[in-house]
Amino acid sequence: MTREPESLILEYLRRLDAGMQLLREDVGDLKRRLTGVEEGLAGVNRRLDRLDGRVERIERRLDPAEA
């Protein structure tokens, strides 16, 4: 008689373990995707920084002409 509740508990623990494994895989996937997004954003920021420098140089060249 004690076998049934023990077996039931083990079955629930197995289900929990399977669910936790799926969660681990999903979190790992999200981490990888977020890393890709962060790397892409860093690339965009680098490009914006370069553009900012170019715009500043253009503005410096145009300032004497406007004055």
Side-chain angles (χ1 to χ4, degrees):
M1 194 140 153
T2 60
R3 281 281 186 190
E4 284 184 29
E6 184 178 307
S7 176
L8 188 59
I9 290 171
L10 287 174
E11 180 61 31
Y12 282 130
L13 287 174
R14 286 185 187 106
R15 287 182 191 175
L16 275 170
D17 189 45
M20 289 297 294
Q21 183 59 35
L22 289 173
L23 260 159
R24 281 187 211 103
E25 291 170 5
D26 285 347
V27 168
D29 181 49
L30 287 171
K31 282 176 155 182
R32 285 186 292 279
R33 292 175 64 189
L34 181 58
T35 298
V37 169
E38 289 172 334
E39 289 171 352
L41 183 58
V44 169
N45 283 334
R46 283 190 299 272
R47 291 185 69 189
L48 287 174
D49 287 342
R50 285 194 306 255
L51 284 174
D52 188 44
R54 292 173 70 184
V55 168
E56 285 178 11
R57 283 195 306 270
I58 291 169
E59 287 174 340
R60 279 194 305 260
R61 287 182 179 177
L62 291 176
D63 275 341
E66 291 176 2

